[in-house]
Amino acid sequence: MERKRDEATIEKLKQLRMKLMSENISHARVAAFQLSWLQEDGMAVLQEALFGNYSQTTKRAAAYGMRSMRGRMKKVAVEVLEKGVAHQDRSTSEISKTSLGLMRGEITIKPPKRRPKSGGGGKHRSKRAVRSIPSQPNGNSKSYHSKPTSNRRHQ
């Protein structure tokens, strides 16, 4: 059952398709996520990007869009990624395998470890020296004076 698409929908799909083909992975992933909300229309564009003759960046973004599918389209996305595992193109196969592993929880991505800033060794050192407070007044009016203690609160 083919549904009628209006001009605005067709134009939006064209724009998202162009963004998906971007070499900037951030822009491509945003477009893929937006396509994931467009159900069948978005799936068709993502599937074309995954199986077509496109860059690895585009294929990775398309796999991300399929992982982002929700509802009834999630099952379809899993089926498409399973077909991608058996695909003849090595990059499509690897990307599909990784995406399925992420969806199923078999693979977890660890955030990159932060490297310590260079210069100054491993320990953090304070720029200010810690000074002790003298226990005996030294004649300076600003020196430390202990407060008299009294058991009485108010007279």
Side-chain angles (χ1 to χ4, degrees):
M1 181 172 97
E2 184 68 25
R3 64 182 183 90
K4 277 293 227 187
R5 296 184 196 119
D6 60 346
E7 289 294 320
T9 305
I10 294 171
E11 188 60 33
K12 181 72 173 174
L13 284 169
K14 285 181 184 177
Q15 288 175 354
L16 289 174
R17 185 177 178 279
M18 290 304 295
K19 287 181 184 177
L20 182 67
M21 307 304 168
S22 169
E23 286 302 313
N24 184 335
I25 189 68
S26 295
H27 295 161
R29 282 174 63 112
V30 168
F33 182 77
Q34 291 173 347
L35 283 165
S36 74
W37 284 91
L38 297 179
Q39 303 292 311
E40 289 90 359
D41 295 334
M43 176 58 80
V45 174
L46 292 171
Q47 193 169 356
E48 174 201 351
L50 184 65
F51 294 126
N53 189 18
Y54 297 105
S55 68
Q56 271 199 353
T57 303
T58 301
K59 290 176 185 269
R60 287 184 195 281
Y64 172 76
M66 289 187 190
R67 285 196 315 267
S68 301
M69 289 281 182
R70 298 289 175 240
R72 63 187 175 89
M73 294 305 292
K74 188 164 190 161
K75 183 177 178 183
V76 177
V78 169
E79 291 171 1
V80 170
L81 288 170
E82 285 172 348
K83 287 180 190 173
V85 171
H87 197 267
Q88 62 189 9
D89 182 30
R90 197 174 114 226
S91 65
T92 301
S93 176
E94 292 289 322
I95 291 167
S96 297
K97 183 179 176 183
T98 303
S99 246
L100 279 171
L102 287 168
M103 285 178 88
R104 294 174 177 158
E106 298 166 357
I107 299 174
T108 56
I109 295 179
K110 297 177 186 173
K113 292 182 180 178
R114 291 186 176 196
R115 291 186 221 147
K117 292 183 180 178
S118 61
K123 292 187 177 182
H124 297 286
R125 295 184 183 173
S126 175
K127 292 181 181 180
R128 297 183 185 203
V130 177
R131 294 184 288 178
S132 62
I133 298 172
S135 59
Q136 297 293 322
N138 61 4
N140 187 351
S141 63
K142 292 186 177 180
S143 66
Y144 175 75
H145 294 287
S146 62
K147 293 183 180 178
T149 57
S150 173
N151 289 342
R152 290 189 261 166
R153 287 189 163 197
H154 300 288
Q155 285 186 345

